Amino acid sequence: MNAYETAREAYASLGVDAEAALHRLATIPVSIHCWQGDDVGGFEGATQLTGGILATGDYPGRARTVAELRADFEKAISLIPGTHRFNLHAMYLEHGGARVDRDQIEPRHFAGWVEWARSRRLALDFNPTFFSHPRSSDGFTLAHRDSGIRDFWVEHGRRCREISAYMGRELGSASLNNFWIIDGWKDHPADRLLHRELLVDSLDRIFAADYPVEYTRDALESKLFGIGSETYVVGSHEFCLAYALTRGVMLTMDAGHYHPTESIAEKVSALLPFVSNLMLHVSRPVRWDSDHVVLYDDETRAIMREVARADAWQRVYVALDFFDASINRVAAWVIGTRATIKAMLFALLEPIELVKTAEQEGRLADRLGLLEEAKTLPIGAVWDEYCRRSGVPVGGSWMDEVAAYERSVLRDRS
Ligand code: RNT
Ligand code: ZN
């Protein structure tokens, strides 16, 4: 018997069908963010990342052009099992050398991305970019006091919805369009309500037009604080949740956007009775940073377990959000995405039926004991089998491929 068959029997003895879990896993896409490849730089020629986020490190090999970013991502997905999505930001447009400001972008600036995605059998997701721009430099955009600045960003948001719908229509898969707004104060505001009312108004203007849900779905991402917006963020969790519920847009919960002991895993089941869909930004907060490379850790497993137990893979969209400039960026993509998928597999392999029965029958020690036993079941053999069947490297051999790519491609970039 090979390791996978042995593992299958171990799972079967706890009532888990490992084969069914592998089939299920293959149907779950992860929306993989483009911005790990270039430290959230984009292709507008911006020299500084602003908006309260920061990519630290100066590891060589950052993608500097559209072609480099595509090549790097192609390398990364060749090492990741399954069929996934690519998540772009508006600042990754192809402007063809002309200056195209954020309030002027059009679907044609993303036609190259659509063609590339089509040829690689990828679906695209999207994000308006409300940072790294002169009109966001004082930390306010859609909630700015100045109506001219608000209008500029409202126009950006509207155009991004059009672009997202174009992507979804062209590629036959609804593009998830995630709005994250940087607005907030470093220090104590005199008027907290004002900016929140302004943000409601701006968002209402952006979302006034209707687009078919087969083409695009809007989401609003909350945040607790950013660098330079430590005291007050206009789009806080309560704000975004209330907006999402009353306006019918999705809420995006980023794992790094809450108080340290709060978990987005816990929040999934609190929201599912009230919303048809949710988006998650799977990330890893460490002290001040909300965007370390995702790992196969307790929190990532807890998130996936909540989705699996609710059998909500069709309703909860899993997107990634991390950026690390201190290590090989292709490796960062591979590590974070493989860890996410492995955590999904862990969740699908839980002996949940036995655990639920123990709970129903009041055998609470068994409930705890089973969950503890599940931790050391041979998931490694099942994961290796998934990689083998998916035609991607098994175990750590993906690292050799990243090293070879670094030697032949990344090292020549200065
Ligand atoms: C920032 C948000 C947001 C960004 C991306 C680049 O705190 O998490 O999702 O990371 O839009
Ligand atoms: Zn995020």
Side-chain angles (χ1 to χ4, degrees), residues 5 52 200 223 265 335 345:
E5 283 163 12
V200 169
K223 194 165 180 176
I335 292 167
L345 178 61

Side-chain angles (χ1 to χ4, degrees), residues 113-187:
W113 281 112
V114 166
E115 284 323 304
W116 169 79
R118 201 194 312 277
S119 71
R120 301 297 184 283
R121 296 173 167 280
L122 288 164
L124 292 178
D125 294 320
F126 201 54
N127 302 256
T129 310
F130 293 98
F131 51 86
S132 299
H133 188 279
R135 290 201 181 214
S136 70
S137 60
D138 63 0
F140 282 86
T141 62
L142 290 177
H144 206 288
R145 271 175 191 281
D146 181 316
S147 66
I149 292 185
R150 289 201 303 280
D151 289 349
F152 174 85
W153 290 111
V154 165
E155 185 60 23
H156 177 63
R158 285 180 177 149
R159 283 170 182 253
C160 285
R161 294 187 71 214
E162 191 186 334
I163 292 162
S164 178
Y166 155 77
M167 290 173 164
R169 190 179 66 232
E170 287 293 318
L171 297 170
S173 176
S175 162
L176 309 174
N177 192 20
N178 183 58
F179 286 72
W180 167 62
I181 294 117
I182 64 167
D183 300 34
W185 287 118
K186 178 186 181 79
D187 231 322

Side-chain angles (χ1 to χ4, degrees), residues 35 40 53 89 131 180 221 223 254 257 281 291 321 323:
W35 53 90
V40 209
I53 53 178
H89 241 283
F131 51 86
W180 167 62
E221 180 179 3
K223 194 165 180 176
D254 184 308
H257 288 193
H281 268 191
D291 300 291
D321 185 10
F323 31 98

Side-chain angles (χ1 to χ4, degrees), residues 246-258:
T246 53
R247 303 313 200 264
V249 306
M250 265 189 292
L251 179 71
T252 297
M253 295 193 292
D254 184 308
H257 288 193
Y258 295 87

